[in-house]
Every structure is written in structure tokens, then in C-alpha cells.
Amino acid sequence: MLNRTQPPAISQISQLSLPPVQQIQLDNGIPVYVVSMGTQEVVKLEVIFNAGRPYEQKPMISRATAALLREGTQKQTAAQIAEHLDFYGSSISSPFHMDTVNLVLATLNKHFAKVIPTLAEIIQQPIFPEHELQAFVQRSQQHLQVDLSKNDVVAYREFTALLYGNEHPYGYNSTAELYNAIQRQDLIDHAQRCFTAANAAIIISGKITPEILDLLNQHLGQGMPKGELLAANWTQAQTQPSQIRIERPNSLQSAIRIGFRTFNRHHPDYHAFSLLNTALGGYFGSRLMANIREEKGYTYNVYSALDVMRFDGFFYVGTEVGTEFEKDTLEQIYLEMEQLREDLLEEDEWEMLQNYLLGNYLGVLDGPFNVAEIVRILHSENLPMSYFSEAVNAVNETSLEQLRDLAKKYFVPEHMFQVVVG
Amino acid sequence: MIQFERFELANGLKVLVHEDHDTPMAALNVLYNVGSRDESPDRTGFAHLFEHLMFGGSANIPDFDAPLQMAGGENNAFTNTDYTNFYEVLPAQNLETAFWLESDRMLSLNFSKKSLEVQRKVVVEEFKETCLNQPYGDMWHHLSKLAYQQHPYRWPVIGLVPEHVEAATLNDVKKFFFNHYRPNNAILVVAGKVKTEEVKVLAEKWFGDIPAGPVPERKLAVEPMQTEFRELSLDSPVPLDALYLAFPCPERLSPDYYAMDLLSDVLCNGSSSRLFRRLLKEKQLFSSIDCYHSGTLDPGLFIIEGKPAEGISMEDAEAAIWAEIQDLIDNGVGEMELQKCKNRAESALIFSELSILSKAMSLAIYELLGDANMLNEEPENYAQVSAADVQRLAATLLQKNRCNRLIYKSMGPEHVGSFVGAEEDDDEEGDLFYFN
């Protein structure tokens, strides 16, 4: 007779290492990370430039430049570029990152030769047509209006502005006025200054053949100016903790964000603090989820997160709760932090968290695109490839006392920035 | 091409196995053939609420999530109009933990009163977060009601009103479980670094003794053919005006499904597509525009939606869409244009086969449609579509007297932020699915 009360035996994950990533250089010196894995005939090519917010000379220029690269070159109109990429079932996107401008080409192997010239062309010969800029500004302003009607969006914007200040590269928010201030010349200048070989890196992942690497070198290894490594325009913010409440009288839910500035991944406390964050609100079994959702039913989702950038990071708790539960939710969030300051994690809970994270790490090593994403983070934040094993080791080696001491050091109510919108 | 093996247990549970030795992970996916279309009209939203209750403890296991996390795994689930899908992804060596957990909750839930009470509240908060406290968040509520008069697609997956969710009782829960959550109403797929022979042993061990049940025969009302233009205009505290044109369209298994899918791509998939390129980029009549279809097992909706650009009247914006439809009906689609859409469909298919979870889910869904191997015939199905098919579909589907028009009129900036109903995410299918 099957005993269903007895869980099957679990075996520990022993092998957790980043697969070897080949590093080569294009003729013009651009470093290339090659992640060749998997059986599907797909390629993802990500070009990364030091061109994000810390490298701007004016707010919003980084994102606007990235968005408008596809809108016309010396040889082709926006419509021709779109037609060509769509015909070959390929896409070029520019996912937002704070510190860098990233262009991601996703395509099937058999179309790579047809679309790599287009990627090179939009990087090397963009013309930023004035009418495309004006249309972009108008559309973006409309989208912004929709976003600003959402409490969670407003809460996040106010929170980052509170943390860093409205003028700081990590703190400012898009506004209709900032969109209006974008000039075509700003985009041309930004592209000329940042899109150079000295500021570039490439990650290519999927089923990568020598032919593909040859094509890559042919199109992106030539024609780009060498340039100089840019210095970031970044200083630490000097803001003080504060709490604000924005009234939205007819809201059914209040959006809450509570947290503080932390550090980047080079900080000695980073690994252990990241574990502490997971325990508090980083997975389904976390303290916040167990209490505020699964015990009290105040919300559909509550979490804590660590947003990490090249020069800094921040921690926050976020949730949307029924307005009638706002007060108690705030109390419970601070209570959960207090418990982590006062008591050690339960042994069972710690073992579950460790196993969960190791399983999670095994998952993030699964497949070429996942590995490429780890490489992207390591490159963008100036970390060595060995960093991945350090993170894995920290899961095994951090002690419960260390976690409690970190909670005492960082989960201090007087240090919290707090925004409530509802 | 996704290779798989299939077998069936004596209790009627269908099992599919896809071996992929390139990954260290395994995915276990269980699809139950029950969705919001199987609900009673006075208990809408129940299938989705029930999905939440599947995490509240089962006959022999008080907590679903903790043991899975202990095994290094993750899980989630979603509900749509037609089915409810649960999955675990975990290190392959711990696959048996997922078998243990999934089989115990198929055997029986523990029907905890506390879990029902809490999850009713959680789902009501989800209702607020995704529908009631979002601009345009009640779009599906209005469109479904307008376009369906008989078929249960007339209410959205989340439910007609939060009160229906709040009214659910433990008796409702028990009845629903023993009617629908039976092995003979489910499809189990295991994918990843697994061996088919081992999966056979595990499936028999953990699922073999679960009794089959008398799954009620599905007798859904058939939606009569729409023959008149229907409209609803709402004064709403949304920031911008918005337009939705919804047309009844063929069901998933219709021979016209692929031509219809390509028709929606011709209109608005990718930045070279007609509506995006001509109306948003060139004429600048819209600040956003999209076209998609619900892909449901019973006849669905083909939807064109957009927000007019600043200074553009709703009338002019809508007229431009109708002109594009007319152009397609009169002049059809070019061979190159159609080839482009087929190439995009091919890429999308291949990119969707990169993760074991999405492969496992696809196999389960195609098996529900009748045969998992249809997944491997998809490239050919798209290749077969001719330009004449797309033109014919445009002419038969996109008629004014089959159109359901929903308009949100913004009440102006001073009202924004207090939504009576619900809106839509960037993810175009966001409102069709509700996750755990």
C-alpha cells in the first residue's frame, strides 16, 4: 500500500556551475561572449553599450535614442527596416536597462545572414528623422497618461524619486515636459558619443556556428569608430528617509512601496542580503506571502525585491491591497522585518529556502538564453565570471546568525522610504 | 519537431512524455478539461477560484508549496475559458516529488474551510487588481456580454462580479472537484531530463489508484450567428478614449483557424503590419493599436483595438480601420506579405519550443484538442494557407453587421484614477488567463 503521507526522497543539487563561455574579440576590439548551447536553430545577439542613464547629458535621451534607432538610417526608412525584419521572422528590441542601451536581435539561424546587416546599419548609420521623433514623443506622452492612471505605477515612480531625488539618473521619471524637451540633435550626439567600439560588448547565444561568428565580425567588427571609454556621470544620492501618501479617493486598492537604497553586487553584504530578501518576500513561501496573502487574504501579491544596477541598488517591499487592509498591511510588513531582526529563521524554513534557490539556479543555467542573461548581468556590472559560483556558495555557507545580524543592520524602520498611493 | 510517447492508465488518465536530455530540469504539467465555460451562471469565476484552492492542502499533504520548494521546484497554474492548467518545474532528480504532490491533490483535496475563506479574499483582490482598479480593466466584461448572448463565454474567467466569488461554499467546492478533477478528465505531461520507462512506473505508482469519476457531459448553449451591429459606449474615468471592435470568429479546431490567425497578423502583428504601419506610424491616427483573437475551443472573438492619437476624433479613427478592412476585402493580401506572416509564425513556433515547460504545456493543450502530434503539424498548417483564404476570411468575418463595438469615452483628466470597471495589459492575452 502506497504511503502518501511520506514524501519521496530528495537529492541535493551538486553540480552548479556556469558552462564555459568563450570570449573572443571582433577586429575592432569589441569583446564577444559566445554561449553556444542547445539544439534549436536559434540565435540571440545582444549588443550592449555604455549608454544608459549615467551616460546621458540630458534626461530621457538614452531611452529615446534606443527607441529611435530603428526609425531610419542613411539607406533605409523605418518602414523598410520593419518590413525586412518581419519578412525574416526576426526582431530587434531594446529592453530597458538603467545603465546600458541594449539591442537584441532574435532570429532563426537560417535568416541570420539576412538580418545582421540591418542591426549593424541601425547602430552605425541612424539618422533619427525629425518626424519620427515627434511621433515618438506624442505616442509616449499618451502612453504615459495611461500609466499615470495606475496606482502601482505612480507608487513605483514616487518611490524611486524619493530614494534618489528627481534629478538623479536613477531617480528621475519621464514626464510630458521631459519628452517635449528631446531634440533630434541630442539623439545624434548620444549615439555618436556612446555607440563606439570602446563602449560596446556583445553576447551571442543559441546554436552558434563559425559562419555566424564570421558574419558577426564582418558586420559589427568594422565600421564602428573606436571611441573612448566613457566615464559615468554618477554620484551617490544624499536623500533622507521619508514617507508620503498620495490620495486617490475612489481607489479600490492602495499601492504600497517601502524600502531603502542598498548597494551594488560588489558590496560584501550583497549575497547574504539577497538571501535575507528572499526569506522576507522573494518567493512564494516567503514570510510576507505567507502572512499577508496566504494567512490574511489582503492581497493577490506581495513581494520584496532587490533592484541592482551598476553603481547602486535598492530594496523594496511592494503590494496592492484592498484599501480597508492598508493600515494593517503596513503594520504587518514592519512586523515581518522586526521578526527577522529578533529571531533566527527556522531550520526547516532555511533548508527550504536554500533548496529552492539551488533549484532556481539550476533553472537559470538551463538553455543558452538563460545563460546569456547571467553573462549580461556579470558584464554590465563589471563582475568576473566566477561571481556565479560565489553566489551559489553563499546559499550553502551563510549562517542564520549572519542573516539575523544583517536584518538588524538594514531592516531599521527609521531608514525606510515609504510611498502609499490609494 | 517534438518527439513524445503516449500511454493511458486504467483510470483514463492520459500521459505524455517528452525526453529532453539537454536540460537538468523536469516539468510536470497537469491539464484539467474544465474552464469558466463549465460554470453555472450564478457562480461565475468559480473555476478560477477553484484553481486557487488546489494549493490549499490535499488528502495527505497539508501544504502544497513547501515540499516542492524543499525539492528545489517552482509551480504555478492558470485558468481560462476552456481548461485549467497546473505545473511544476524542478531539478529532474526530484521529479517524484511533483508526482507525489500532483497525484495527492487529484486523489482528494482536504476541503479546508480556512483555505476557502482566505482564497475568496485573495481572488477578490485579484479581481480588483486586474479588472476594477485598472483603466479599461473591465473591457472583457463588457465585450463578452455584448458579443455572447447564450454561450457561457458571456462572462469572463475572473467572474461577472466579486459577489459570485464571495458566495462560493464548501459544498460547491466538493461538487466541482468530484465532477471535474478526475483522472479521466485530465492530461499529464512530463518533459525534460526523464526516461519514458521511469515515468511509466511513476505514473502508475502515484496516479494508478485514483478512481475515475462520472464527468458530466458538456452541454453548452450554442451562440446563434450574430446578424446585427451591437454597440456600447461608456463614459469612463479612463485617461484616453479607447475603441474595441470584436467580431465572432471560428473555433480553434475550425479548418479556417490558420487563415484567421494569419489575417490577424496581416492586420497588426509586427511593426510592418498594416494597421500599425499605416494608421499608427504613417497617418498617426492612433497612439496604440492591436489585433488578436481569443483562440478559444468554442467560437471566439477577433478583436481590433486602438486608442486614437491626441486630437484625432473617434469617428475618424474608426473610419480608418474600416477602410483598411475594406481594402483587404477588395484587394486581398500579397504573396510576399503572406509569406512574411508565415515566416513570423514559424519563428514564433520555434522560439516557443525552447523551454521544457512551454513544450509540456503545448503537448497538453494539443492533446486536449485531440492529438498532441498536431503541434508538429503546425508549420504545415500555416504553409497551406493561401492569399485567397485570408481574403475570404476578411470578407466573412469582418462585417459591420457582425461587429460588437465598445467605446470608452474619457471623462477627462479630473476623473482619472477612479475606475468603475477594468482595463487591459500590454500582454494582449493578459485578460484571458488568470494565474494562481
Side-chain angles (χ1 to χ4, degrees), chain A residues 2 4 11 71 86-87 89 110 132 143 149 250 252-253 285 293-296 300 322 355-356 366, chain B residues 23 69-70 74 93-94 100 103 114 121 125 135 206 209 272 281 287 343-344 346-347 418 435:
Chain A
L2 185 60
R4 288 184 175 272
S11 54
E71 302 298 342
D86 280 355
F87 186 82
K110 63 180 177 186
E132 293 285 0
H143 296 164
S149 72
N250 295 311
L252 295 173
Q253 288 187 313
R293 173 175 148 145
E294 291 298 291
E295 172 65 29
K296 300 200 168 63
Y300 175 49
N355 289 355
Y356 166 78
D366 185 14
Chain B
T23 165
Q69 288 162 168
M70 196 59 99
E74 276 201 288
Q93 68 258 40
N94 292 335
W100 171 61
S103 65
K114 162 93 183 167
K121 290 173 75 178
E125 291 303 323
W206 291 104
D209 66 351
S272 73
K281 289 296 303 278
S287 65
N343 291 349
R344 284 178 61 87
E346 182 196 22
S347 282
S418 52
F435 278 88

Side-chain angles (χ1 to χ4, degrees), chain A residues 162-175:
Chain A
L162 215 56
L163 282 181
Y164 289 98
N166 264 322
E167 310 282 309
H168 193 279
Y170 289 171
Y172 77 76
N173 284 302
S174 59
T175 61

